[in-house]
Amino acid sequence: MVDDGEQAVALTDLSLEAFTARLAAKHSVPGGGGAAAVVGSLGAALGAMAAHFTSGKKSYAQVQGDIERIAGSATALSQQLLQLVNEDARNFEPLAHVYSMPKDQPGREELLENATLKACEAPLEMMRLCSRSIALLEEASDKVSPLLLSDVACGAVLCGAALQAASVNVFVNTAQLKNDEVARPLEEEADALLLANIPRADTVAEKAVTRIRGKE
């Protein structure tokens, strides 16, 4: 929640202009995590749009069921990613509070460790959702109308970028964790998601551009 001057509102309830202005201003939230979630949400939404425009066309009747599933799943992923904007902001609040404490305050180190671990949750979930979105966009690239390939390609580029941006927010927090046994599995999952899905997103976009430019 943020104060818009009159009342507390969720970040996702701000206008696009207001959200961007707040992002540019001297505020802790939204930051890189919130921006990553928005970008991922837009990428998934483009996949949903491509499926919706293809749905019901006679020439795609044989994949109508798949198209409807892609549209529904991509829409849900877009909404879930958007809500992570608010979750990421909420999870930063206790971390900011601990940072404001005197460094010699008893119990500060434990509170800092717990708050830092909590701050890892939203960006890691963003990575999971972006990865699922990339898989849907990959499927959509073979099933939607060629007229929508540019949107699918844009969606893949955005989801790939969001995946990478979210990973930075995972790593900046795991680097601060004192317990390596806690940090390591989080970093390993993030690394695995990057390794599996960044090339996948790149391939979706590259193939789409090749088809668009008539070089296939």
Side-chain angles (χ1 to χ4, degrees):
M1 305 293 284
V2 296
D3 189 345
D4 70 349
E6 296 181 1
Q7 61 181 349
V9 298
L11 286 170
T12 49
D13 287 337
L14 296 174
S15 69
L16 181 58
E17 183 178 3
F19 181 91
T20 304
R22 185 174 175 87
L23 185 65
K26 191 177 180 180
H27 295 294
S28 297
V29 293
V38 170
V39 171
S41 177
L42 294 174
L46 282 168
M49 185 190 76
H52 280 128
F53 269 110
T54 304
S55 182
K57 294 185 180 296
K58 291 182 179 180
S59 54
Y60 294 90
Q62 71 276 13
V63 292
Q64 177 64 26
D66 292 335
I67 292 297
E68 290 177 357
R69 174 178 49 78
I70 291 169
S73 297
T75 298
L77 287 166
S78 179
Q79 293 170 346
Q80 290 168 45
L81 279 159
L82 203 57
Q83 287 309 307
L84 285 173
V85 175
N86 298 321
E87 184 176 332
D88 186 65
R90 285 195 299 270
N91 290 351
F92 182 78
E93 289 176 6
L95 186 59
H97 176 68
V98 176
Y99 276 134
S100 69
M101 294 178 177
K103 290 186 177 182
D104 59 353
Q105 182 165 321
R108 183 181 185 274
E109 287 302 313
E110 182 179 356
L111 289 172
L112 181 60
E113 186 82 353
N114 291 336
T116 302
L117 181 59
K118 185 69 176 176
C120 292
E121 292 181 2
L124 190 55
E125 183 64 10
M126 290 174 207
M127 293 188 71
R128 297 178 186 125
L129 296 178
C130 284
S131 297
R132 289 167 57 190
S133 299
I134 289 167
L136 281 175
L137 287 158
E138 181 180 57
E139 183 181 2
S141 68
D142 293 324
K143 295 179 178 177
V144 302
S145 166
L147 297 175
L148 281 307
L149 276 179
S150 62
D151 299 295
V152 172
C154 288
V157 170
L158 292 178
C159 285
L163 177 60
Q164 289 183 294
S167 76
V168 176
N169 287 273
V170 173
F171 298 137
V172 74
N173 287 305
T174 56
Q176 302 304 314
L177 292 172
K178 303 296 184 183
N179 189 340
D180 189 55
E181 292 184 4
V182 172
R184 190 183 308 113
L186 300 177
E187 293 181 341
E188 288 175 350
E189 182 180 358
D191 283 331
L193 290 168
L194 288 170
L195 182 63
N197 294 290
I198 292 301
R200 200 173 185 181
D202 290 343
T203 298
V204 171
E206 289 166 5
K207 285 185 175 180
V209 171
T210 296
R211 291 175 63 186
I212 289 167
R213 299 184 69 180
K215 295 182 179 181
E216 184 179 86

